[in-house]
Amino acid sequence: MQPAIVELTGVKVYRNNRLTLNIEHLTIAPGELVAIAGPNGAGKSTLLQVVNMLLPYQQGTLNLFGKAINKQSELNIARRQSSMMFQETLLVNGTVYDNVALPLIFRKYPKEKIRELVMSALQTFQCQHLAKRQARQLSGGEAQRVGLARALVFQPRLLLLDEPFAALDTASRTAILTDLKQVAVQNKLTVILISHNFNEVLTFADRVVVLAGGAVIQDDKPEVVLRRPATREVASLVDMDNVLPCHMETEAAQTIVRLDGGVIFPYNRSVTSKAKACCLPGDAIYILNEKAPSPEQPLVTVSVRVAGITPGIGTYKVSVAVDELSLIARVPREQTLGLVIGEKITIGFSPDEVQLI
Ligand SMILES: Nc1ncnc2c1ncn2[C@@H]1O[C@H](COP(=O)(O)OP(=O)(O)OP(=O)(O)O)[C@@H](O)[C@H]1O
Ligand SMILES: [Mg+2]
């Protein structure tokens, strides 16, 4: 097995005497595309600064590219193989070409090689037509593409991104992430991307590490984090449709979950005794009528009234309620045709789709 590109063990960072980063163990393998998510102040930028060797840590060890980083010489070698980009591109005065050439001039590449690498990097991010433009006069989206070309022109092994695409419109952001992902996969580049946008995470990453209070609270595939958030903070981060207060009881070694509205169901997955809420993705709730095919697994059924219908691309959001229980279901548009606000309908969900937190 190839050694990890990044490995942190017991890393603690104190800022103003406050513990702001506390990573027990985190390893990132070559070629992984990892997103770092978490609320404001969670320690995401602090973590990236530690990995980028910009910030001293008070405890623990950092290994980069399979080597411990203790001495200045090790730090210099590791720095030459990694690249970082921020929300502001920090392009300097001069042309786009000059900007992208900078890391190569700094590394003393021969002139001919510089020309070849710069043009190839510009082409990769579809900005060769900008080569002669003044870098400071680019639009936000153009600047970020040029910034990526500059970050990757010297073919680093590790790319660290601190929300560089947050200010771009949705279409530009998806386009740039798709291009970056292709380049990363082709070159076995390892990328760590801080992001506040879970759609961005789903487009780009194979893995997401969620931080809160400086510590890792979930580390899994994006789809798992989306559907099975580990805590309330993660549920809110992924915009979970339904986070419902619940009570748990154990009857004959079986966990029974009670929701408002008199909804009761057995739960077969493992739970912690502290669980107080029940997460249910909206697309795991079915409207049960003759228009919709019933899924095969056994469902918990609930009689509810339609409270609202919100159009959307892909699925429509249907709000339903009974007593104190309000739910959001996401269903295909055709299943909402003919639904009337106030109408009584039956919905169903599989207990397997429920995540207790
Ligand atoms: N230069 C600094 N000096 C002292 N404390 C700092 C400094 N930078 C950040 N902090 C503190 O460290 C904690 C973590 O900050 P950090 O910037 O890593 O959070 P973040 O997860 O990147 O947040 P955001 O989503 O807002 O960018 C915060 O409480 C912050 O106030
Ligand atoms: Mg930050």
Side-chain angles (χ1 to χ4, degrees):
M1 213 176 83
Q2 284 177 292
I5 292 285
V6 176
E7 181 166 13
L8 290 97
T9 309
V11 168
K12 292 190 181 181
V13 174
Y14 292 86
R15 284 176 141 172
N16 298 330
N17 290 325
R18 215 166 50 85
L19 184 61
T20 52
L21 191 69
N22 183 11
I23 305 287
E24 275 180 33
H25 197 76
L26 179 67
T27 58
I28 296 177
E32 268 197 294
L33 306 179
V34 181
I36 309 283
N40 292 128
K44 304 181 296 296
S45 297
T46 305
L47 170 62
L48 229 60
Q49 284 162 15
V50 167
V51 175
N52 201 32
M53 302 154 279
L54 291 173
L55 191 71
Y57 44 95
Q58 284 73 42
Q59 262 185 51
T61 57
L62 168 68
N63 284 16
L64 291 172
F65 311 106
K67 301 234 160 53
I69 305 295
N70 296 319
K71 295 198 290 268
Q72 188 64 37
S73 57
E74 291 157 348
L75 195 112
N76 292 344
I77 292 170
R79 280 217 170 116
R80 287 187 160 246
Q81 303 182 74
S82 67
S83 197
M84 182 150 172
M85 232 182 114
F86 303 89
Q87 194 161 350
E88 316 76 48
T89 35
L90 312 174
L91 295 177
V92 297
N93 274 331
T95 64
V96 163
Y97 184 96
D98 295 341
N99 267 273
V100 178
L102 271 182
L104 302 174
I105 294 170
F106 174 71
R107 287 170 173 76
K108 301 191 169 47
Y109 276 60
K111 213 166 169 193
E112 270 318 296
K113 190 73 185 160
I114 291 181
R115 172 142 213 99
E116 181 194 320
L117 289 174
V118 170
M119 291 322 284
S120 151
L122 287 174
Q123 196 172 2
T124 302
F125 291 102
Q126 293 158 45
C127 41
Q128 64 274 43
H129 62 289
L130 301 173
K132 293 189 179 137
R133 291 268 304 273
Q134 285 300 309
R136 292 277 185 90
Q137 294 172 4
L138 299 176
S139 78
E142 289 166 346
Q144 292 310 61
R145 283 189 173 272
V146 170
L148 264 184
R150 185 179 64 181
L152 293 180
V153 72
F154 62 94
Q155 298 165 328
R157 294 167 70 195
L158 174 63
L159 177 65
L160 306 171
L161 303 171
D162 195 346
E163 299 193 71
F165 314 125
L168 304 191
D169 65 67
T170 312
S172 309
R173 192 192 303 147
T174 308
I176 201 167
L177 279 170
T178 309
D179 285 352
L180 174 61
K181 183 164 182 163
Q182 201 182 348
V183 171
V185 170
Q186 264 168 13
N187 297 291
K188 291 211 163 42
L189 174 70
T190 307
V191 185
I192 309 181
L193 166 77
I194 295 182
S195 176
H196 268 113
N197 181 317
F198 217 77
N199 283 327
E200 189 170 297
V201 173
L202 290 167
T203 306
F204 184 75
D206 335 299
R207 171 180 168 197
V208 50
V209 175
V210 186
L211 292 185
V216 175
I217 51 171
Q218 193 164 9
D219 180 350
D220 217 318
K221 291 195 172 69
E223 197 191 7
V224 176
V225 175
L226 184 72
R227 301 192 74 86
R228 298 205 173 273
T231 65
R232 241 172 218 281
E233 281 140 317
V234 187
S236 135
L237 216 61
V238 300
D239 217 2
M240 171 58 67
D241 294 306
N242 299 293
V243 181
L244 312 162
C246 70
H247 293 284
M248 287 189 322
E249 292 157 16
T250 309
E251 269 175 31
Q254 164 95 67
T255 305
I256 306 288
V257 178
R258 269 175 204 278
L259 303 181
D260 287 336
V263 180
I264 303 174
F265 57 90
Y267 190 73
N268 296 322
R269 299 174 65 91
S270 65
V271 287
T272 69
S273 55
K274 288 182 296 186
K276 291 208 168 57
C278 166
C279 293
L280 186 57
D283 60 6
I285 300 179
Y286 302 92
I287 293 179
L288 302 174
N289 61 21
E290 64 285 355
K291 274 194 223 145
S294 272
E296 291 193 349
Q297 70 264 46
L299 298 182
V300 179
T301 58
V302 190
S303 189
V304 291
R305 281 191 194 279
V306 177
I309 302 171
T310 313
I313 304 287
T315 55
Y316 275 39
K317 242 177 169 179
V318 179
S319 321
V320 296
V322 54
D323 300 333
E324 299 295 297
L325 179 71
S326 294
L327 293 166
I328 291 171
R330 288 180 191 272
V331 298
R333 174 177 165 273
E334 59 271 20
Q335 289 182 27
T336 66
L337 300 176
L339 279 187
V340 179
I341 307 293
E343 181 186 351
K344 214 167 173 185
I345 58 168
T346 305
I347 55 140
F349 61 86
S350 159
D352 280 349
E353 292 280 354
V354 168
Q355 165 80 356
L356 291 182
I357 55 174

